[in-house]
Amino acid sequence: MATISMARIVPIIISKFIILTLLSPFAIVHATKENQGFLRTLDRKLHGFKKEKLTHFRAYWHDTYSGSNPTAMPVVRPPSNASATLFGSISMIDDPLTEGPGVGSKLIGRAQGLYGSASQAESALFMAMNFVFLEGKYNGSTISILGRNQVFSEVREMPVIGGSGLFRFARGYAHVKTVSFNTKTGDAVVEYNVYVLHY
């Protein structure tokens, strides 16, 4: 009699164990959603993110205040004429990015954003801009640069803080070097070597 009872009980216990084992991941997911309904962990492979890669590109940034079609426009003048650094001034930009330093060089994108004089003691800019690419497989993709640019240093470094399109989740840095600067007009050509980690 005891043998028959055990023979009936063991399959019931095993079947309940199997059901609980199969349902427990769903219970955990459900509990997670209940506790943090606004947040969930995703599998990056299911969203098309493969191995992360490092991309380097070089572009020449043409910042032009002069002429009939300027690409840089002052939107806030310095509050004080006494400031040697133009502290407080802000300019909006839509600068061409080209393959080479010459004005007639092939256009590969635009640098769109703003910069302002952020130091009373030296010529240092706060820069916030997007590089919008117009060429090749990166056409329509962007990277975002946000940082400090000490303009009279030979080489400056600014962080890449994000991107869109093929540069989603981008991070990296830009090495910046002035090629030419006209002290009368404020026009400048600057070389950007950008190193970006992205998927």
Side-chain angles (χ1 to χ4, degrees):
M1 187 86 78
T3 309
I4 295 170
S5 295
M6 282 303 271
R8 288 182 182 169
I9 292 172
V10 169
I12 292 170
I13 292 172
I14 291 172
S15 65
K16 286 187 177 182
F17 177 75
I18 290 170
I19 290 169
L20 286 173
T21 303
L22 292 173
L23 291 178
S24 62
F26 297 108
I28 291 168
V29 169
H30 181 68
T32 303
K33 285 184 179 177
E34 280 183 355
N35 293 335
Q36 297 180 14
F38 66 94
L39 179 71
R40 62 186 176 134
T41 303
L42 301 174
D43 183 347
R44 67 182 182 182
K45 291 179 184 175
L46 292 176
H47 290 273
F49 296 112
K50 298 175 184 174
K51 188 176 179 182
E52 198 172 33
K53 56 191 170 188
L54 177 64
T55 298
H56 165 249
F57 65 87
R58 180 174 58 210
Y60 291 87
W61 180 86
H62 299 263
D63 199 44
T64 307
Y65 283 95
S66 64
S68 59
N69 189 26
T71 62
M73 186 69 62
V75 292
V76 176
R77 301 283 181 186
S80 168
N81 291 332
S83 172
T85 65
L86 302 177
F87 176 66
S89 63
I90 299 173
S91 292
M92 191 67 66
I93 62 167
D94 183 15
D95 290 344
L97 295 171
T98 62
E99 266 189 359
V103 177
S105 186
K106 183 179 179 181
L107 181 72
I108 59 171
R110 312 283 308 182
Q112 298 172 333
L114 56 87
Y115 58 78
S117 179
S119 174
Q120 294 179 346
E122 58 189 334
S123 294
L125 303 176
F126 166 77
M127 302 193 75
M129 61 184 166
N130 291 314
F131 279 14
V132 183
F133 294 96
L134 305 171
E135 190 64 34
K137 73 174 185 175
Y138 294 112
N139 183 20
S141 296
T142 68
I143 63 162
S144 298
I145 296 174
L146 177 76
R148 182 177 190 265
N149 183 353
Q150 191 175 351
V151 294
F152 291 118
S153 293
E154 186 178 351
V155 178
R156 291 88 73 190
E157 184 177 306
M158 289 186 287
V160 171
I161 61 164
S164 67
L166 293 179
F167 288 117
R168 288 181 191 138
F169 294 102
R171 66 190 194 283
Y173 66 96
H175 267 172
V176 182
K177 184 177 183 180
T178 302
V179 176
S180 66
F181 176 67
N182 186 319
T183 55
K184 290 182 181 177
T185 63
D187 296 352
V189 177
V190 181
E191 180 183 341
Y192 275 76
N193 278 285
V194 184
Y195 301 85
V196 183
L197 283 166
H198 61 104
Y199 290 100

